[in-house]
Amino acid sequence: MAKTKIKICGLRRMQDIEYANMLMPDYIGFILAEGFARSITAEDAVEFSGKLDSRIKRVGVFVNQPEEMAAEYVKRGIVQYIQLHGSEDNTYICRLRQKAGKGCNIIKAAKIKDAGDIEEAMAYKCDYLLLDAGSGVQAGGNGITFDWKLVKNINKPFFLAGGICAGNAREAVEITRPYAVDASSSMETDGFKDFNKMKEFIDVVRSL
């Protein structure tokens, strides 16, 4: 089995970029939708992406925003992956591909409460799925898990999100066999990324 990849989402300070450069997760996420706890500006995204180690893949997280806006981040080389965390459908995804052009990798997030949600998620015409908990105040980063035993027979690579931390990462990977695990709020102390939590989480996943 291929090694499970790691994504740390919600980086919003230069200090977070420094942590990432030291720990080298496979992916990091920038929240490029307004109004969320970890949102950053386009200017921040440009600055942070320029300082991030080029071996780490950059994901821009968007929530029900115009395709042109998301596509522009790819065209400018600020992000390489677009994560859709709202109600975007296959029509939106197809238009986004046309506007972003080659090199656009699309991750579609799906909130999972039951087996039916898994089935619906598999119909998305994305490159990767992101399976997250079907509850919580925000579009993501709520630190809530869902029943991982629901994850069966997924037809494309997927990121597993929702309350994953060093303490449960082994169980999550063993049950679901994801392409990648995605952590955000569980990597924080008092609302900010915590180097030690990030390191412990990454060390556990890399040991599997």
Side-chain angles (χ1 to χ4, degrees), residues 89-145:
D89 58 14
N90 280 333
T91 300
Y92 179 104
I93 291 171
C94 290
R95 288 199 303 255
L96 175 57
R97 281 195 194 284
Q98 291 176 343
K99 291 173 181 176
K102 290 182 179 179
C104 177
N105 300 278
I106 298 174
I107 304 167
K108 179 66 181 88
K111 290 190 172 185
I112 307 301
K113 289 179 281 190
D114 55 43
D117 294 328
I118 297 275
E119 202 168 313
E120 287 182 20
M122 287 195 288
Y124 286 122
K125 296 178 179 179
C126 53
D127 301 294
Y128 303 84
L129 289 169
L130 184 144
L131 307 181
D132 202 352
S135 58
V137 177
Q138 297 204 104
N142 294 290
I144 300 169
T145 61

Side-chain angles (χ1 to χ4, degrees), residues 23-205:
L23 297 171
M24 293 297 293
D26 302 283
Y27 299 83
I28 59 87
F30 296 139
I31 311 301
L32 298 170
E34 294 181 0
F36 296 93
R38 302 170 188 89
S39 298
I40 64 171
T41 64
E43 291 75 19
D44 286 337
V46 170
E47 182 181 8
F48 294 165
S49 65
K51 297 292 185 181
L52 187 73
D53 191 297
S54 61
R55 292 169 290 180
I56 303 172
K57 297 178 177 68
R58 304 176 303 279
V59 181
V61 180
F62 299 86
V63 183
N64 299 326
Q65 290 155 277
E67 302 97 323
E68 295 85 355
M69 179 184 294
E72 190 63 24
Y73 280 89
V74 175
K75 290 178 179 177
R76 293 175 60 191
I78 301 169
V79 301
Q80 300 139 303
Y81 289 67
I82 292 175
Q83 181 177 316
L84 303 174
H85 229 296
S87 58
E88 302 90 355
D89 58 14
N90 280 333
T91 300
Y92 179 104
I93 291 171
C94 290
R95 288 199 303 255
L96 175 57
R97 281 195 194 284
Q98 291 176 343
K99 291 173 181 176
K102 290 182 179 179
C104 177
N105 300 278
I106 298 174
I107 304 167
K108 179 66 181 88
K111 290 190 172 185
I112 307 301
K113 289 179 281 190
D114 55 43
D117 294 328
I118 297 275
E119 202 168 313
E120 287 182 20
M122 287 195 288
Y124 286 122
K125 296 178 179 179
C126 53
D127 301 294
Y128 303 84
L129 289 169
L130 184 144
L131 307 181
D132 202 352
S135 58
V137 177
Q138 297 204 104
N142 294 290
I144 300 169
T145 61
F146 66 94
D147 183 0
W148 295 324
K149 292 179 182 176
L150 294 170
V151 179
K152 296 175 183 176
N153 305 316
I154 305 293
N155 61 1
K156 53 173 56 80
F158 66 93
F159 291 71
L160 185 72
I164 303 173
C165 61
N168 62 15
R170 177 179 292 276
E171 180 185 8
V173 170
E174 288 178 349
I175 291 174
T176 66
R177 302 296 181 188
Y179 167 77
V181 286
D182 187 336
S184 182
S185 61
S186 63
M187 300 293 99
E188 297 177 352
T189 298
D190 297 329
F192 293 99
K193 291 293 183 283
D194 182 315
F195 177 84
N196 292 325
K197 288 182 178 179
M198 290 170 64
K199 183 179 187 305
E200 186 181 7
F201 173 68
I202 290 171
D203 286 348
V204 168
V205 177

Side-chain angles (χ1 to χ4, degrees), residues 7-25:
K7 175 169 171 271
I8 306 293
C9 203
L11 276 61
R12 59 191 176 104
R13 303 174 299 167
M14 190 57 73
Q15 191 170 3
D16 300 341
I17 301 300
E18 292 168 0
Y19 291 168
N21 287 343
M22 286 187 276
L23 297 171
M24 293 297 293

